[in-house]
Amino acid sequence: MAIVTNDTDQEFDIIIRDFEVNHPDFENFTEEALVSMGKDERFGINTWLDSYLGNAEWLGRRNDNTTYGCGSVQSPALGLAMGSEGYPKEIMTPSGATTTLPAYLANISSAQGYAWYGEFARCTQDPELNPLGLEKMRGSAAELCSDNAESWDISAPDSEKSCSKICQVHVWSKPVYITPGMVKQQLQFKHSEDGEIDFYSPEIERNRLACDNEYFDHWFHDEGSVNKSSNTTMVLSQSALDPKYVEIRKDWNNGGFFPLDSVSDDGNFYFIESKPGLDQYGPQSLSINCPPYNYLYASSQTDFLGKSTSDLCKFWQTNGGPKNKDAAFKAAMTSPFGISHLRNYGFTIMGFIPFEYHKDANEIFQFTGDDDMWIFVDGVLAVDLGGTHLPATGTIRMDYLAVNSHGCHEGDPMLDSCVTKVDEKGAWKDSSVHYIHFFHAERQSDGSNFKIRSSISKVNLIGKPSQSDSNLKEENLYEYYSSFAPGELSTDAKEGEPVCQIPCYK
């Protein structure tokens, strides 16, 4: 059973799979390659490192951007621009790709403004967003820069944007694009001989080839030759400013999200060691922006504390760059500054969260981060943020899922359980139990941004769900408690019957 640090935290089980940086689907700098192909010989594709130019598969993909490219500012035809409320602006990309979300979710679109991510300066201290008092920050323009950011025109130049919130100076910002429809709408679950669902081995399936997902079958499966797997937990802590939420917030402004590393908590976020007890390859990257070619702005790059990373990037490139598994360590050994930036990028996470739905309580589950994230509720896709992209936000409003019978339509993988979960109109019943599975991939170095903000009532399961040999089945839910509203333990169970809290899920 997962143990929380206090009665306001939520802890849930995750499986982390670590990959080496030379995996073909990782560290590809797809957008940068597209940019450099249009540059002159000083900054063009001919300046890329041998670990890229000498890689026939990488070159082949870059010459077929229609198939392997990602939605971005450079390839808007391949993506969907994200809206300010956490939903894509459109249903279909200009190239014809569509999201695999159910129609009632896919159709929440154009009424929102655009979501912008950027860098901003002359920032002031803020207890939630800037506790370190950083002068320069990166993040959502709506959070850090301007309440009017969502009304900025998609083609507006940086010179026409201004800041008046935590940060006073707009440095740069870009609209956020994702690559839709990379995975199928439904998870596949294994079943025991007696028909019970195994919630810890869900199968997420590729829907189409896009954004360097050639070997997608590796990402969320144990493949002894290409990844290392660890079963562990993640903790969401109660928000200091709004106690109805629990959250984890790791981004460019506070050292980033590196669940395989032990990092100092002194505000400098120095690498200490690989996190004990987790099976991994160790740090093979640096937490700096260092594209593997003669990058036009390389000399002006800094880390979040404003320290120049130019020389460290040169050492990294000299030793082979981001796709060479030994290069980052060799570069880091040149200085304490280099060692501080050692990190283990290149991992995927599958997370599992059972929760109790409370009708009309405006419960949300929201993710913000870079690189791929797909969130399923009751085995059906609810957030589609595929691709290597700037930090994007996806929002799930549980009341909206409830009235749309999410997970209870013909062909849905958990349809059989809907008999006890929905009312006569097909809506989720109050206090019914549901299941979140999320799948996240961190596939490219520079920033690693990961934020979950949630107001759902997580159900803590009795058993050993964090053990690799454990299969979680619905029958385990006879014993649970709600993190936010624990009930009284039942004391009148007959001998041999499960003891549960009220209400019991049956």
Side-chain angles (χ1 to χ4, degrees):
M1 176 180 174
I3 304 298
V4 296
T5 56
N6 58 60
D7 60 5
T8 59
D9 288 348
Q10 288 188 7
E11 186 169 17
F12 56 89
D13 295 282
I14 63 174
I15 300 173
I16 305 179
R17 292 178 174 90
D18 188 25
F19 294 78
E20 295 198 280
V21 294
N22 57 4
H23 187 282
D25 293 349
F26 292 72
E27 295 291 358
N28 284 318
F29 293 87
T30 307
E31 183 177 2
E32 288 83 352
L34 192 64
V35 171
S36 68
M37 285 179 176
K39 298 289 185 181
D40 60 30
E41 61 181 15
R42 295 174 301 162
F43 307 106
I45 196 69
N46 60 298
T47 67
W48 282 66
L49 301 180
D50 289 344
S51 52
Y52 290 82
L53 293 184
N55 185 322
E57 184 171 11
W58 183 85
L59 279 175
R61 293 186 187 186
R62 303 294 70 82
N63 287 318
D64 187 4
N65 195 59
T66 301
T67 302
Y68 291 99
C70 310
S72 67
V73 172
Q74 301 301 325
S75 296
L78 302 181
L80 295 177
M82 290 300 295
S84 55
E85 296 180 14
Y87 304 99
K89 289 279 291 177
E90 305 292 343
I91 297 174
M92 180 183 294
T93 70
S95 63
T98 59
T99 178
T100 45
L101 289 167
Y104 51 86
L105 289 172
N107 290 325
I108 304 174
S109 55
S110 58
Q112 321 158 78
Y114 286 98
W116 296 83
Y117 178 88
E119 184 173 294
F120 313 102
R122 283 179 55 195
C123 305
T124 56
Q125 193 164 27
D126 179 87
E128 181 179 21
L129 300 177
N130 191 17
L132 298 177
L134 301 177
E135 191 278 333
K136 184 180 291 185
M137 300 181 70
R138 289 184 185 178
S140 161
E143 272 194 337
L144 302 180
C145 175
S146 173
D147 288 330
N148 298 319
E150 66 178 62
S151 65
W152 291 347
D153 186 81
I154 191 73
S155 59
D158 287 339
S159 60
E160 294 181 5
K161 304 167 191 171
S162 60
C163 293
S164 58
K165 295 190 76 172
I166 294 173
C167 302
Q168 299 296 306
V169 175
H170 179 280
V171 180
W172 61 263
S173 64
K174 296 179 181 180
V176 179
Y177 285 83
I178 55 96
T179 306
M182 290 173 63
V183 301
K184 293 184 178 180
Q185 186 181 107
Q186 298 168 338
L187 296 177
Q188 300 298 316
F189 292 102
K190 296 177 182 177
H191 294 75
S192 65
E193 292 182 0
D194 56 1
E196 297 292 344
I197 294 175
D198 174 6
F199 286 100
Y200 272 80
S201 302
E203 296 284 338
I204 180 174
E205 298 178 294
R206 189 179 71 187
N207 180 58
R208 68 185 183 96
L209 196 60
C211 196
D212 287 309
N213 69 345
E214 178 80 39
Y215 302 100
F216 186 78
D217 286 349
H218 295 171
W219 295 13
F220 301 103
H221 294 88
D222 291 340
E223 301 283 348
S225 61
V226 297
N227 63 33
K228 295 185 177 183
S229 175
S230 299
N231 293 52
T232 184
T233 59
M234 180 180 290
V235 175
L236 305 184
S237 300
Q238 187 176 46
S239 169
L241 300 183
D242 193 340
K244 73 180 178 181
Y245 293 102
V246 290
E247 61 187 4
I248 179 173
R249 187 185 188 111
K250 297 292 184 180
D251 55 31
W252 192 83
N253 307 305
N254 64 9
F257 178 65
F258 299 98
L260 293 167
D261 300 331
S262 292
V263 179
S264 70
D265 60 359
D266 59 357
N268 292 302
F269 306 107
Y270 287 175
F271 176 82
I272 299 173
E273 62 179 348
S274 294
K275 191 167 289 185
L278 299 180
D279 194 15
Q280 59 170 297
Y281 294 103
Q284 297 184 353
S285 302
L286 299 172
S287 57
I288 63 174
N289 183 28
C290 186
Y293 70 105
N294 191 21
Y295 178 51
L296 177 61
Y297 303 106
S299 62
S300 61
Q301 294 300 297
T302 66
D303 65 9
F304 77 105
L305 292 173
K307 298 177 181 178
S308 174
T309 59
S310 177
D311 287 342
L312 183 58
C313 177
K314 290 177 183 177
F315 286 131
W316 194 6
Q317 290 184 344
T318 299
N319 284 285
K323 260 193 179 298
N324 184 306
K325 61 184 181 181
D326 300 316
F329 187 80
K330 291 178 180 178
M333 292 302 105
T334 61
S335 68
F337 179 67
I339 294 173
S340 73
H341 279 284
L342 266 177
R343 294 292 188 275
N344 190 337
Y345 282 89
F347 56 85
T348 66
I349 295 178
M350 188 284 287
F352 172 66
I353 311 172
F355 69 98
E356 184 181 83
Y357 167 65
H358 296 150
K359 186 177 180 180
D360 297 329
N362 297 316
E363 294 172 319
I364 68 162
F365 187 85
Q366 185 178 72
F367 169 81
T368 302
D370 49 27
D371 297 353
D372 319 83
M373 173 62 100
W374 300 282
I375 306 176
F376 295 77
V377 178
D378 291 345
V380 179
L381 191 64
V383 167
D384 180 12
L385 298 178
T388 52
H389 51 71
L390 294 170
T393 296
T395 303
I396 302 174
R397 291 175 170 82
M398 296 306 169
D399 286 332
Y400 187 76
L401 294 192
V403 298
N404 282 281
S405 305
H406 189 85
C408 294
H409 296 271
E410 189 66 32
D412 287 346
M414 294 186 62
L415 181 62
D416 289 349
S417 68
C418 293
V419 174
T420 60
K421 292 183 182 180
V422 299
D423 61 22
E424 65 279 1
K425 295 181 180 180
W428 293 357
K429 291 181 179 178
D430 189 32
S431 299
S432 55
V433 174
H434 302 268
Y435 310 92
I436 289 174
H437 287 88
F438 69 80
F439 299 82
H440 170 62
E442 179 59 59
R443 293 196 283 146
Q444 186 169 297
S445 53
D446 182 13
S448 179
N449 298 269
F450 188 98
K451 174 185 174 183
I452 291 176
R453 183 174 175 85
S454 169
S455 60
I456 63 173
S457 294
K458 176 191 171 283
V459 168
N460 287 329
L461 303 169
I462 305 299
K464 298 179 181 179
S466 64
Q467 299 300 313
S468 60
D469 60 353
S470 171
N471 291 326
L472 177 65
K473 302 175 182 179
E474 278 202 272
E475 63 192 19
N476 296 117
L477 288 172
Y478 281 108
E479 298 189 14
Y480 76 91
Y481 64 88
S482 166
S483 296
F484 281 99
E488 296 296 326
L489 281 172
S490 172
T491 59
D492 58 357
K494 297 178 181 178
E495 185 176 355
E497 290 185 345
V499 178
C500 64
Q501 291 183 284
I502 304 301
C504 287
Y505 173 69
K506 297 182 179 179

